[in-house]
Amino acid sequence: MSKFRRRELLWRAQKSMQAPLATASIWNNSMEYDFIYDRNTQQFSIKLAAEHEVLGRFLLDEFGQLAETYLPLLQQLSALKPQQSMQYQGREFLLEVDSGTVTLKHNSLFNQSAGRQSEQQRQLAEDNLQLDDHGMITECGLEDLLKLLSEWQQFLAE
């Protein structure tokens, strides 16, 4: 029995029980994530490893909890050829794909990298401080993101 089939059976068994939470745990080569549905609040959430948790926040904030809202991004990413690049500008984040590498950055970091420093950033630099970018940037492979998006969309649809 494949790993995906075992996860699917586990998810269906949990979904049929009356437990308040239904989860599906998924592992691939470089990402580990849990999809969670809370029956009490009727809310979906994604739990990712610390280095990728900003990705879960981006997906839920940008696309919400309806499976069909993810389809345009999934189609656009799937259509990319290995050396192609693209950008998706969201409300708070910029998703960039370049040669199979996905970078997700909060817009405030994008402005920093463009060489435009705010007065606050200049003051922090003078005081030998810097803004903490933890939770504001992540990288992963395009194949990993496609797999995450596809499985998340399937989880939302069930």
Side-chain angles (χ1 to χ4, degrees):
M1 183 182 303
S2 73
K3 186 164 62 170
F4 182 76
R5 183 72 181 135
R6 282 193 299 270
R7 283 193 317 264
E8 184 180 336
L9 292 174
L10 172 67
W11 160 242
R12 291 192 191 289
Q14 289 176 335
K15 193 173 181 181
S16 66
M17 295 178 202
Q18 295 304 315
L21 293 178
T23 63
S25 296
I26 294 139
W27 301 270
N28 67 29
N29 291 339
S30 63
M31 275 191 186
E32 180 179 321
Y33 39 90
D34 292 315
F35 299 151
I36 302 162
Y37 176 70
D38 185 329
R39 288 185 180 85
N40 294 329
T41 63
Q42 298 182 343
Q43 296 292 308
F44 290 90
S45 60
I46 304 173
K47 184 178 179 185
L48 291 121
E51 68 269 15
H52 294 120
E53 71 184 11
V54 67
L55 187 54
R57 193 171 95 217
F58 163 73
L59 293 175
L60 284 168
D61 290 350
E62 191 68 32
F63 300 102
Q65 299 189 24
L66 299 174
E68 61 271 8
T69 60
Y70 292 85
L71 191 56
L73 180 62
L74 192 54
Q75 289 173 335
Q76 194 175 8
L77 291 170
S78 297
L80 286 176
K81 295 190 175 29
Q83 297 303 316
Q84 283 186 307
S85 60
M86 68 157 273
Q87 290 187 342
Y88 175 87
Q89 180 60 62
R91 291 185 292 270
E92 290 189 45
F93 290 91
L94 174 68
L95 180 100
E96 296 178 298
V97 180
D98 188 25
S99 300
T101 300
V102 177
T103 304
L104 180 69
K105 289 194 243 182
H106 192 270
N107 289 335
S108 64
L109 296 177
F110 180 69
N111 290 337
Q112 284 178 335
S113 66
R116 294 174 281 178
Q117 287 190 329
S118 70
E119 181 60 34
Q120 178 188 28
Q121 291 165 342
R122 279 192 286 280
Q123 184 62 41
L124 288 171
E126 288 174 14
D127 295 337
N128 288 331
L129 300 172
Q130 62 184 19
L131 292 174
D132 181 14
D133 65 359
H134 179 75
M136 299 181 78
I137 187 168
T138 192
E139 284 189 353
C140 66
L142 178 58
E143 288 182 24
D144 295 330
L145 179 60
L146 285 169
K147 183 175 178 157
L148 169 71
L149 281 172
S150 177
E151 291 177 356
W152 174 241
Q153 186 183 37
Q154 182 180 344
F155 185 82
L156 291 173
E158 294 177 351

